[in-house]
Amino acid sequence: MRLLRMRLEHFAGIDGPLDVDFAEQGITLIEGPNETGKSSIVDALRLVRDFKASSQAAEVRAVRPTHVQADPSVEIELRTGPYHLTYAKAFARKGTTQLTVHAPVAESLTGDAAHDRATAIFAETTDLALWSALQATQGEPLAQPVLAALVPLHSALASIGGEDAAGGHDELMQRVEAEYLTYYTPTGRPTGEHAKLAGELAEAEARASEAEGALADIARLAESHERLVLRREELTGSIVTQRKEVTTLAERCAELDQLRQELHEAQRIAEGAGQTLAIRQEAAERRAQLVAELDEADRARREAELEQAEAATAVEEHEAQAGPEDPDTAIDAARTELDRATVEQERARAQQELEQALRRLGEARAAHTAREEARAALRDNAVDEEAVQRLQDDHLRWQTAAARSAAAAPTVTLERLGDQPVLLDGQESEVHEHPVVRPVVVEVPGAARVTISPPAPLADEVAEGDRLRREYHRACEALGVADLEEARTLARLRSEQERILADSTAELRRALGEDESLAQLEERVEHCRERVGAGEPPDPETAAQRHRTAADAYQRVVNAAEESRAERRRAFEIGQQLRERLVRAGTAAEHVCARAERAAATLAADRAQADDATVTAAVEEAREASTRAIAAVARVEGVLSERGADELASEVDARTDALETAERRLRELDNEIIAVEATLEVRGGEGLQDAANRAAEAAADLRRRWISVDTRARAARRLQQTLTDHAHRARRRYVGPFRTAIAELGRTVFGSGFDVEIGEDLSILTRTLDGRTVPFVSLSGGAKEQLGVLGRVATARLVGGDDGAPVILDDILGYADPLRRQRVLAMLRQVAREGQVQIIVLTCEPSRFDLLVPDVSRRLE
Amino acid sequence: MRFVATADWQLGMPGSFLPDEARARFAQARIDVVRRIGEVAAEQQADFVVVAGDVFDSNQLHRSVVARAFDALADWSVPVYLLPGNHDCLDAASIYRSAEFTGAVPDGVQVLDAPGVYPVTSEVELVAAPWFGKRPLTDLVADVLADLPESSGRRRVLVGHGGLLGIDRDDPAAIDLSTLTGALADRRIDVAILGDRHSTTEAADRLWYPGAPEVTRHRETDPGQVLVVDLDERTGGVEVTPVRVGRWTFLTHGAPLNGDADLDDLERDLDRVPDKHLTVVRLTLTGTLTIPQRARLDDLLERAADRFAHIFVWQRRSELAVRGEAADFGELGLTGFAAEAVAELTEELSGPEAEEAADALGLLYRLTGAAEMSR
């Protein structure tokens, strides 16, 4: 399809008629500021194609001018396939449509007929999806066109790839998909009637099976009834037979009753004889017991009498023995001696303590005196080492100043030449040399008086020396000494006194010991004296010895007394036991004598009734009678046993039991049969067979329907899968040629190191530039836009010719750098020159497209 | 003396093999045929009618079936004797013992509910061998013959039910043919009427299966009749005339299908079948069809289903292949991947999933609209 011309009036922001001519081959550049109607050109193309003139769709209403009362109108002229036509619409409630076909056969139509004819021509000659895909519209510049579904692109790629067939079969695929989705969800699960029938069929089959089950129950019940009735018949017959047998056996049993009677009598006699034998044996045993008892009583009496005699002897012997003496007197004597020794020992200890305290008192008092004297001396002498040090410093400073002034002073050397005394400062002097530190008067009395004055500068130093001397003397005075030497002596004395004070204080503390003061020590001395008391104090050693001896003696006496007491207690206890034994022996002897007398009396009374021989004979007689009776019983039992009486009796019992069991079973059977018949009567009328038939019929209906639907469903699935599978494979085959087409154009834009990877949907997955591969989504906005343009131009170029559609680029390359833009434009020029693609560029910034060199250029105002 | 012999009415039998719509008609047909038997008996001036077992299809039927049967029997002018068979045996759950039966049984209807002799007219008596359970352990006919009392001078009609020994040797209840023919030969009985076999059959001289009066299965060879039996009380001569009473037909139609001409034949054959709404057709189809032909067959059968009581392909006996040809889809303009898909499916026509592939191709054919075009 090639767009030749367009005319817009009252369309969106455009008022007056706007005519635009397009280059049929090559590039048309339409430039103009914003809101001059560039985008309206794109919109108008779509509206005139897709909407009827009378359409009230929102998109159509949106292009009505808002400032004037007028209908928007569009007129386009184009070539498509063999057709050359002009198509115009004025959009209004009663809009107008005009189609003029110029070639191949002139046609002129209006209204809906015009719209339908135009639509038919477009459908016949162009691909609307391709038409849309080739527009890179403002606002969505980064999107990639959806190319995979474009039939013309498929055809083109198929022809390049050597495919002899073409076509996307979109409609067929949609119909197949729709058919598939009638039966399955997109994820392949049965749905709709397919799923519903499967569920209903399962339920119906379950119901049918249940109904069959109920029927089978009835059949089983009927069979069971049949069996029960048969069993009852058998049992009834069996009971009659059993009754006859029991009667016969009972008769045979009666014949043996006489013998049983005899046995009973013999058993009674044997029982009586047994009892008599037992009584007589008991009497004989009692006689023997009485004799034994008497013997035993006699023996016990002899033993008791012997014991009694022995006990009496033991008591006498014990009482004859003497007990130990009373120990109390010895204890008292030893105690008195111990107390005395303790007192003496205490006095001796007090004496020792007194002596010690007196010694310490003497020492303490001496130390106290020495301390007080030292303290007095220290109070009188305040010259300590520190004071001496200070005085020594003062003395040194004075001496130093004096020496200095002496060194600086002139020296008078005096030499007496005769006998005439020479006075120096009024005194005869032998000194030959004398420093002049102050005016010196040398006088030879009567002869001459020479006054020598020191030089003036020396006067200050001399004054300083004098001041320091005076200071020294004042210090001596303050200390109460004449000079430094005396001060040193006093200081030594003071140091000595301090040592004595310290020593005496220590001595006093040692002498006081545990006492805190002298007075306390004196109190101790007094206390000790009181403890010693009057009289000569004892010798400590002797007192200690005496105390130890007394204590040992006392302990010995106490121990001996304890032993003696225990001995007497034991002797008393033995005596007590012996006396008790004697009493017991006496009582026992009396008791045993009485018992022996009783035994003798009882035996005598018994023998008076029957003597021993009579008793023995009676026992023998009874034993013989019993033996005879037992033999009689055995004889009758033998006869009964020979005639099988026991077996017969137990058989009668067993048969009677069996008969009762059978009769009980017969009653049970009757009840069971009644119960089954009742159940069958109730259930028989329920029409279970009908219910089962209906259920089976319902299941069969559903099964037929389900098989039909399932067959169709599986056919749809098979067809859908096979077609989809092949469509995928075909698309994969198109990827190669498409990649080549893009790479070819892309090298102009991106350079020789450019390549792309294409997905099955013909979208660009990655871009490779100089060895570096980047996924499309990670590319910059500029690169994405450039690849988008590349995809469209490559598609248009591949489709080309009459099958193609114009590439419309609305306000693109806003993201591109100047170099890249230049290259994109070069690529567009190159494609335009080939004459296969119609390119329409819309821009508000013409400078961007300076290098485009359009075939037609139109400026909008 | 004349009577009508019939058996195997199978009242209340299920119709799950039929589509829902035909089922009610099929059930009603069994009641209607009872009326017609009554009419035949009246027309033929029969003395009585005897039903040799399986009057009811089951003992566990809804009692409304009994009521409808009695409604039909109430119009009869001749007495009828009903023999319990294996389907409606006289067990504890027997329909004959139900209150609905005993309380409403019309005059003239008698159940032969014990083995033995039943005088019917002054000249004829019935010898009945009814069933008491689903699995008798002996030959009931032989049993009743063994205990047969001395002749009373009346002609005897044996009424029994079951297969003949020789068909099923393991069944202890099977009727021993030689015992029966022996009794017929020495005139202990004069004619024997047996139920169980649904096709009218003369098993031996004077030994007849009347068959079901209304067809029940495809395998029945000659159903839908009753027997009018003339018994000469003087000579004992027997003359049997089958009379058609059934309306339904179960048809098996074999059709070799190898092209459009065969499809034309099939269409014509089906078209010629009378009373289609009372006909069940079982088709055995063999041969090879192309995809369009197969689509045509499907369409043909779909249309036939609307007209027949039921029509279906007997898969077990059918062997119909579908042949895929590029030409079939050539006109449809399928190219590229679609053409490849067709090729793949066509190839699968000779594989294990041929049926599904054929269906898929048929669907493709339909979806591309070619099916309509070619019609």
Side-chain angles (χ1 to χ4, degrees):
Chain A
M1 193 274 279
R2 303 288 164 131
L3 206 51
L4 303 179
R5 184 178 61 77
M6 174 178 277
R7 182 191 182 92
L8 300 178
E9 197 167 1
H10 304 306
F11 193 94
I14 298 165
D15 284 341
L18 168 68
D19 286 292
V20 183
D21 291 310
F22 301 96
E24 189 174 355
Q25 315 282 340
I27 302 171
T28 304
L29 176 68
I30 299 168
E31 56 174 272
N34 290 330
E35 298 182 30
T36 49
K38 294 189 304 297
S39 298
S40 296
I41 290 171
V42 181
D43 293 341
L45 205 52
R46 198 165 51 80
L47 290 187
V48 78
R49 184 188 69 196
D50 294 346
F51 291 90
K52 284 192 172 181
S54 57
S55 170
Q56 293 300 306
E59 288 162 274
V60 175
R61 288 205 307 275
V63 300
R64 291 194 79 80
T66 50
H67 51 286
V68 290
Q69 185 67 31
D71 298 332
S73 69
V74 181
E75 181 180 308
I76 54 172
E77 183 182 346
L78 51 85
R79 280 187 217 281
T80 179
Y83 302 96
H84 173 204
L85 55 88
T86 305
Y87 188 32
K89 276 182 184 166
F91 291 99
R93 197 165 288 279
K94 291 180 178 176
T96 58
T97 306
Q98 173 79 41
L99 172 69
T100 310
V101 181
H102 310 292
V105 179
E107 288 177 70
S108 182
L109 296 159
T110 57
D112 282 353
H115 176 87
D116 294 343
R117 177 63 179 140
T119 305
I121 290 174
F122 290 141
E124 179 190 337
T125 56
T126 70
D127 187 281
L128 297 184
L130 177 72
W131 199 339
S132 299
L134 294 187
Q135 292 177 6
T137 48
Q138 205 175 359
E140 46 183 62
L142 307 182
Q144 289 201 64
V146 178
L147 304 174
L150 299 180
V151 177
L153 180 59
H154 276 258
S155 307
L157 289 170
S159 66
I160 291 171
E163 299 286 330
D164 55 353
H169 297 301
D170 271 1
E171 202 185 331
L172 173 64
M173 287 301 278
Q174 279 165 17
R175 282 157 76 176
V176 169
E177 191 68 24
E179 182 78 6
Y180 172 75
L181 291 176
T182 314
Y183 306 110
Y184 296 100
T185 64
T187 53
R189 285 199 318 281
T191 186
E193 196 190 5
H194 190 206
K196 185 166 152 263
L197 277 176
E200 286 175 358
L201 175 59
E203 283 171 20
E205 282 180 337
R207 277 195 297 275
S209 167
E210 202 180 314
E212 277 299 328
L215 208 51
D217 286 346
I218 287 292
R220 273 195 295 277
L221 212 55
E223 268 181 47
S224 145
H225 180 270
E226 210 172 322
R227 277 198 307 276
L228 287 171
V229 169
L230 272 177
R231 179 84 191 97
R232 181 171 61 182
E233 281 168 15
E234 280 172 20
L235 201 59
T236 310
S238 163
I239 284 170
V240 171
T241 315
Q242 284 184 44
R243 277 211 188 101
K244 277 182 199 156
E245 283 171 2
V246 169
T247 311
T248 313
L249 283 171
E251 282 165 3
R252 278 176 58 201
C253 244
E255 289 168 12
L256 290 172
D257 279 354
Q258 178 59 38
L259 267 176
R260 279 205 193 83
Q261 202 67 42
E262 281 174 29
L263 176 64
H264 189 66
E265 185 57 28
Q267 280 169 336
R268 201 183 51 75
I269 291 165
E271 200 179 320
Q275 282 168 358
T276 307
L277 176 61
I279 289 164
R280 290 186 181 174
Q281 277 174 335
E282 205 179 313
E285 278 167 18
R286 182 176 146 75
R287 173 64 52 86
Q289 203 179 350
L290 284 175
V291 171
E293 268 179 24
L294 182 58
D295 290 350
E296 172 61 23
D298 280 344
R299 192 193 51 75
R301 189 182 56 196
R302 280 191 301 279
E303 280 179 6
E305 281 165 0
L306 191 59
E307 167 66 15
Q308 197 179 12
E310 279 175 5
T313 312
V315 168
E316 278 168 23
E317 281 173 5
H318 183 73
E319 281 172 354
Q321 283 172 2
E325 286 174 16
D326 183 1
D328 290 349
T329 322
I331 290 174
D332 291 347
R335 180 76 240 178
T336 309
E337 173 53 18
L338 179 59
D339 289 349
R340 270 191 215 118
T342 304
V343 168
E344 280 305 292
Q345 193 183 28
E346 174 57 24
R347 278 185 70 221
R349 275 188 196 142
Q351 178 60 30
Q352 277 178 314
E353 274 178 44
L354 176 63
E355 283 165 13
Q356 205 180 12
L358 282 171
R359 193 179 68 246
R360 279 200 291 134
L361 186 59
E363 286 168 1
R365 276 182 183 150
H368 186 259
T369 310
R371 193 175 66 165
E372 289 310 308
E373 281 168 4
R375 273 184 186 157
L378 283 171
R379 265 194 307 276
D380 296 343
N381 180 5
V383 182
D384 57 9
E385 283 297 324
E386 204 180 331
V388 169
Q389 189 63 45
R390 278 196 309 271
L391 193 61
Q392 197 173 321
D393 291 348
D394 288 346
H395 185 256
L396 185 60
R397 275 195 297 276
W398 167 43
Q399 286 296 311
T400 306
R404 203 161 43 229
S405 55
T411 308
V412 174
T413 306
L414 193 68
E415 196 173 347
R416 198 167 66 169
L417 297 174
D419 300 340
Q420 189 75 24
V422 179
L423 296 176
L424 189 63
D425 283 343
Q427 288 181 358
E428 203 169 344
S429 179
E430 292 301 313
V431 176
H432 298 290
E433 282 185 17
H434 187 82
V436 182
V437 290
R438 63 181 53 89
V440 173
V441 179
V442 178
E443 188 181 349
V444 180
R449 181 185 289 147
V450 179
T451 302
I452 307 156
S453 295
L458 197 62
D460 288 347
E461 286 190 17
V462 171
E464 177 63 13
D466 286 350
R467 191 186 62 80
L468 289 170
R469 180 179 47 81
R470 279 193 305 274
E471 247 177 47
Y472 166 69
H473 285 300
R474 270 201 302 276
C476 286
E477 229 171 288
L479 287 174
V481 293
D483 56 10
L484 180 60
E485 201 53 41
E486 193 187 346
R488 278 181 180 145
T489 306
L490 280 175
R492 265 194 309 277
L493 281 174
R494 183 176 169 88
S495 177
E496 181 63 19
Q497 288 305 324
E498 277 173 347
R499 191 192 53 76
I500 291 168
L501 176 63
D503 287 353
S504 59
T505 304
E507 178 61 20
L508 177 61
R509 201 169 292 135
R510 189 194 57 74
L512 282 174
E514 65 203 48
D515 297 314
E516 287 182 351
S517 65
L518 212 53
Q520 211 171 355
L521 184 56
E522 283 163 353
E523 255 176 50
R524 179 182 294 278
V525 167
E526 211 48 49
H527 179 62
C528 287
R529 274 207 187 94
E530 279 170 18
R531 280 165 62 204
V532 171
E536 186 67 20
D539 174 46
E541 195 60 37
T542 316
Q545 184 61 42
R546 188 180 164 194
H547 181 264
R548 273 196 301 278
T549 310
D552 289 349
Y554 176 71
Q555 191 59 49
R556 273 195 307 277
V557 171
V558 168
N559 290 349
E562 193 62 34
E563 278 171 18
S564 163
R565 248 182 239 123
E567 182 62 27
R568 276 160 56 188
R569 208 158 39 238
R570 274 197 302 280
F572 174 77
E573 278 167 9
I574 290 166
Q576 196 66 26
Q577 283 165 5
L578 288 173
R579 277 188 292 276
E580 280 172 12
R581 182 184 161 198
L582 180 59
V583 172
R584 274 201 306 279
T587 312
E590 278 172 19
H591 184 72
V592 170
C593 282
R595 185 178 137 202
E597 281 164 15
R598 275 201 308 278
T602 307
L603 182 59
D606 209 39
R607 278 183 176 146
Q609 293 202 348
D611 62 16
D612 290 357
T614 310
V615 168
T616 311
V619 167
E620 278 313 307
E621 187 192 337
R623 182 170 289 127
E624 280 168 20
S626 173
T627 308
R628 279 196 305 277
I630 288 167
V633 167
R635 199 174 52 250
V636 178
E637 279 177 343
V639 174
L640 275 170
S641 172
E642 269 168 29
R643 297 177 63 176
D646 287 350
E647 290 80 357
L648 197 59
S650 56
E651 200 181 343
V652 169
D653 287 347
R655 290 290 177 91
T656 309
D657 285 350
L659 181 58
E660 278 169 12
T661 307
E663 283 168 343
R664 193 168 58 245
R665 179 67 194 130
L666 184 63
R667 286 194 295 279
E668 284 168 6
L669 271 176
D670 283 340
N671 288 338
E672 280 177 52
I673 288 167
I674 288 166
V676 170
E677 283 174 348
T679 308
L680 284 173
E681 194 179 334
V682 173
R683 301 227 65 189
E686 288 174 0
L688 292 174
Q689 180 70 55
D690 292 281
N693 290 351
R694 297 295 91 76
E697 286 162 4
D701 286 347
L702 280 165
R703 196 174 303 113
R704 272 193 290 272
R705 282 173 62 199
W706 185 79
I707 287 170
S708 162
V709 169
D710 187 57
T711 305
R712 277 181 279 143
R714 281 188 291 117
R717 185 174 58 188
R718 169 55 63 97
L719 183 59
Q720 189 261 2
Q721 284 173 351
T722 310
L723 277 171
T724 309
D725 189 32
H726 281 280
H728 279 246
R729 276 192 240 165
R731 276 189 208 145
R732 281 198 292 276
R733 283 201 299 273
Y734 296 159
V735 165
F738 192 61
R739 174 185 178 167
T740 309
I742 289 189
E744 206 175 290
L745 289 178
R747 286 190 189 111
T748 309
V749 178
F750 293 96
S752 60
F754 169 81
D755 204 350
V756 285
E757 189 189 338
I758 303 296
E760 212 176 274
D761 61 351
L762 300 185
S763 65
I764 298 170
L765 299 179
T766 66
R767 182 201 68 175
T768 301
L769 199 53
D770 301 328
R772 213 166 71 82
T773 301
V774 180
F776 182 83
V777 288
S778 307
L779 287 167
S780 71
K784 280 182 185 167
E785 188 190 57
Q786 290 141 26
L787 288 175
V789 171
L790 270 182
R792 286 176 172 84
V793 174
T795 304
R797 190 160 166 255
L798 279 169
V799 176
D802 288 340
D803 292 338
V807 175
I808 301 178
L809 304 172
D810 187 0
D811 236 357
I812 58 156
L813 299 181
Y815 297 95
D817 63 59
L819 179 63
R820 192 61 67 69
R821 190 188 311 140
Q822 210 173 318
R823 287 175 156 196
V824 171
L825 298 180
M827 180 271 291
L828 290 175
R829 269 202 318 278
Q830 176 193 324
V831 173
R833 264 201 304 278
E834 292 170 359
Q836 288 294 308
V837 180
Q838 184 184 26
I839 299 172
I840 298 167
V841 178
L842 306 161
T843 182
C844 60
E845 204 180 331
S847 61
R848 254 192 234 165
F849 297 91
D850 279 349
L851 296 168
L852 186 61
V853 195
D855 297 285
V856 171
S857 182
R858 173 76 159 83
R859 183 170 174 75
L860 303 180
E861 297 301 339
Chain B
M1 201 278 303
R2 172 179 284 181
F3 67 95
V4 171
T6 176
D8 302 301
W9 289 0
Q10 312 289 149
L11 295 174
M13 77 170 277
S16 59
F17 56 92
L18 288 174
D20 188 30
E21 170 272 329
R23 220 173 268 145
R25 275 187 280 128
F26 187 65
Q28 186 57 40
R30 321 206 77 70
I31 297 293
D32 292 346
V33 84
V34 172
R35 291 183 199 281
R36 276 197 301 285
I37 294 168
E39 286 161 16
V40 169
E43 285 161 13
Q44 299 286 337
Q45 296 177 336
D47 294 307
F48 62 94
V49 176
V50 62
V51 190
D54 288 357
V55 177
F56 298 101
D57 193 57
S58 163
N59 275 328
Q60 274 68 50
L61 291 174
H62 200 274
R63 301 312 186 211
S64 62
V65 178
V66 177
R68 283 200 293 276
F70 283 170
D71 281 348
L73 287 171
D75 299 339
W76 283 27
S77 55
V78 287
V80 57
Y81 296 90
L82 307 178
L83 180 83
N86 61 325
H87 277 253
D88 50 359
C89 60
L90 275 166
D91 63 12
S94 174
I95 198 163
Y96 296 110
R97 298 190 200 279
S98 70
E100 289 80 357
F101 191 95
T102 54
V105 61
D107 292 341
V109 176
Q110 188 179 345
V111 180
L112 305 172
D113 57 3
V117 177
Y118 293 78
V120 176
T121 65
S122 52
E123 300 92 17
V124 178
E125 59 193 19
L126 298 176
V127 177
W131 283 48
F132 288 90
K134 284 214 176 287
R135 278 178 284 276
L137 299 172
T138 57
D139 174 353
L140 299 170
V141 170
D143 289 351
V144 77
L145 288 177
D147 291 342
L148 207 57
E150 284 296 308
S151 171
S152 59
R154 293 189 183 93
R155 292 289 169 185
R156 282 174 168 170
V157 177
L158 180 123
V159 190
H161 190 87
L164 289 170
L165 187 64
I167 296 169
D168 185 356
R169 291 210 164 269
D170 292 336
D171 186 357
I175 298 162
D176 183 30
L177 181 60
S178 59
T179 308
L180 191 49
T181 48
L184 284 165
D186 61 20
R187 287 287 171 175
R188 274 179 287 152
I189 51 173
D190 297 287
V191 61
I193 303 298
L194 298 180
D196 196 43
R197 191 180 293 186
H198 289 199
S199 304
T200 305
T201 311
E202 184 180 14
D205 184 31
R206 290 179 280 134
L207 168 53
W208 282 82
Y209 282 95
E214 193 63 275
V215 62
T216 61
R217 290 187 201 87
H218 266 101
R219 67 161 179 252
E220 292 159 9
T221 50
D222 192 17
Q225 304 175 101
V226 293
L227 301 178
V228 175
V229 183
D230 288 301
L231 173 59
D232 189 323
E233 56 268 36
R234 222 162 25 78
T235 63
V238 172
E239 207 172 298
V240 177
T241 316
V243 175
R244 178 152 301 280
V245 288
R247 292 278 160 82
W248 278 62
T249 311
F250 278 25
L251 194 68
T252 300
H253 182 83
L257 296 177
N258 288 301
D260 284 314
D262 292 337
L263 286 168
D264 292 342
D265 287 348
L266 175 63
E267 198 166 4
R268 196 177 49 245
D269 289 345
L270 290 176
D271 213 29
R272 284 177 183 160
V273 174
D275 292 333
K276 294 182 181 61
H277 69 295
L278 301 176
T279 306
V280 179
V281 182
R282 179 167 72 174
L283 293 169
T284 54
L285 304 178
T286 51
T288 307
L289 294 180
T290 63
I291 295 291
Q293 285 162 356
R294 161 72 188 266
R296 186 185 159 196
L297 172 64
D298 288 346
D299 182 55
L300 188 156
L301 293 180
E302 212 170 292
R303 279 182 289 125
D306 297 337
R307 304 163 72 195
F308 284 91
H310 187 37
I311 181 166
F312 64 100
V313 178
W314 191 9
Q315 297 294 354
R316 202 147 49 82
R317 295 287 174 86
S318 294
E319 200 166 348
L320 188 63
V322 175
R323 186 176 72 237
E325 285 177 357
D328 295 340
F329 291 89
E331 324 160 0
L332 305 184
L334 292 180
T335 53
F337 71 89
E340 287 170 0
V342 168
E344 184 186 315
L345 290 171
T346 306
E347 211 166 283
E348 283 180 17
L349 287 176
S350 52
E353 294 180 6
E355 193 69 22
E356 195 174 296
D359 290 338
L361 283 168
L363 175 63
L364 178 63
Y365 196 74
R366 180 165 67 77
L367 289 178
T368 47
E372 272 72 25
M373 280 163 56
S374 72
R375 256 177 221 153

